Amino acid sequence: MSQPHQADTTFRPDLLAGKHALITGGGSGINLGIAQSFAAHGCKVTVLGRNLEKAQKAAQGIVDAGGQALGVSADVRDFAALEAAVAQAAAQFGNFDIILAGAAGNFPAPVDGISPNGFKTVVDIDLLGTFNTIKAAAVHLNKPGNILSISAYGNPVPMQAHVVAAKAGVDALTQTLAVEWGVRGVRVNAIIPGPIDGTEGMARLAPDEKSRSRVAQAVPLNRLGVPQDIANAALFLVSDAASYVTGVILPVDGGQNMLGGAPQYQTYLAMQQAEQKA
Ligand code: COA
């Protein structure tokens, strides 16, 4: 067997040995980075995605790197499909110790460019999908256990009304669950990723080198993040080192959150001015 993917982290390699994590939206981007990193630390990983082929490819990559992984498919908007997928995962690898509700849908559009169905689609994927994932998978969750969701800034972000509205709901759900399920030994936390290089979101936000460097300069730590930055935070939150941490919405963003929505607003203004000139 080849050696497991060697993550560049400070955590011990067997941190999650014997555990099983469900990761929705794990076929690419930040969630794939977390899946790979969890597997590199001994965790069995179920990658769940809308597209079965993509989920299986991600799982195969983890297996090829020496980890244990399974790819399953469900749309997080479809509760019955989720129930079937999590049952399949639990039958293969046993109950979950970690549920990561990472699946998200997004497109940049101003409020007057979003139809009611467009708004509903994103709320259904991001907010209802998080609820559905947690509700379907919690039936198979070992206690003590961990739930992680992926959130976004509470700041207003131009072109993202549908997303920030949905993610504000994810925050409320995360913290309410943390309060309700603490007595069951379940910790519930969320991560707010900053601009992470190599993701779909980043490619959309900054498609060329000039805009990438503009985004990086608007981050106090003066660089874009990498998926491992988010994975490291996830490893900490699900580890015993965070055993007294619950209900936290943790920005992992090089300090961008401290600046509020000003950088995104400046980008939006520049776009508006360019449009007016054209
Ligand atoms: N601007 C405005 N509205 C948009 C849009 C855009 N760029 N993209 C989709 N919509 C609207 C559609 O017009 C439709 O509304 P309508 O029926 O009133 O026309 C609604 O959203 C649903 O679109 P559809 O393509 O049928 O939904 P879907 O379930 O197949 O796709 C999305 C989901 C909308 C999130 C899609 O953007 C997507 O699949 N994105 C890729 C994955 C992704 O977002 N990853 C997240 C990275 S952070």
Side-chain angles (χ1 to χ4, degrees):
M1 194 169 85
S2 60
Q3 284 300 306
H5 163 77
Q6 294 294 311
D8 176 21
T9 82
T10 54
F11 299 97
R12 56 169 216 265
D14 65 346
L15 187 77
L16 301 179
K19 309 268 190 207
H20 178 195
L22 170 73
I23 302 189
T24 70
S28 59
I30 288 168
N31 299 315
L32 175 59
I34 295 173
Q36 290 169 332
S37 194
F38 278 10
H41 290 83
C43 197
K44 291 171 277 186
V45 170
T46 294
V47 174
L48 184 147
R50 235 195 313 178
N51 179 327
L52 179 61
E53 208 178 309
K54 192 173 163 188
Q56 286 179 330
K57 192 171 165 217
Q60 190 57 49
I62 290 169
V63 170
D64 291 346
Q68 285 181 276
L70 168 72
V72 297
S73 125
D75 188 320
V76 293
R77 291 169 284 189
D78 181 345
F79 187 70
L82 266 178
E83 283 186 304
V86 297
Q88 183 192 344
Q92 170 97 11
F93 284 149
N95 279 349
F96 305 113
D97 300 282
I98 301 161
I99 300 167
L100 168 68
N106 193 358
F107 53 79
V111 170
D112 51 15
I114 309 172
S115 70
N117 188 44
F119 193 90
K120 179 178 183 298
T121 298
V122 170
V123 171
D124 280 354
I125 298 171
D126 292 15
L127 176 54
L128 182 62
T130 298
F131 173 83
N132 284 346
T133 299
I134 293 169
K135 186 155 176 79
V139 174
H140 306 279
L141 182 64
N142 287 326
K143 319 288 183 316
N146 271 281
I147 296 175
L148 285 180
S149 48
I150 302 294
S151 197
Y153 300 135
N155 311 317
V157 181
M159 316 284 283
Q160 292 282 274
H162 44 335
V163 178
V164 290
K167 295 292 192 178
V170 170
D171 287 358
L173 176 62
T174 301
Q175 294 191 317
T176 305
L177 274 177
V179 171
E180 286 190 8
W181 290 2
V183 286
R184 298 186 200 176
V186 179
R187 295 189 294 106
V188 190
N189 293 292
I191 293 172
I192 300 176
I196 304 299
D197 212 4
T199 59
E200 233 179 86
M202 195 59 211
R204 233 180 278 148
L205 180 71
D208 51 59
E209 199 42 50
K210 196 171 156 212
S211 43
R212 275 163 50 81
S213 117
R214 195 185 60 229
V215 174
Q217 280 164 15
V219 173
L221 286 182
N222 204 33
R223 70 167 172 90
L224 299 176
V226 292
Q228 191 68 55
D229 290 317
I230 306 300
N232 287 342
L235 282 167
F236 164 69
L237 285 172
V238 302
S239 76
D240 288 344
S243 65
Y244 204 47
V245 178
T246 197
V248 158
I249 319 282
L250 179 67
V252 183
D253 67 344
Q256 193 188 53
N257 190 43
M258 292 184 294
L259 307 177
Q264 292 95 329
Y265 180 60
Q266 292 305 330
T267 306
Y268 175 70
L269 271 188
M271 280 166 54
Q272 296 287 302
Q273 282 158 4
E275 259 175 42
Q276 276 162 15
K277 270 191 208 154

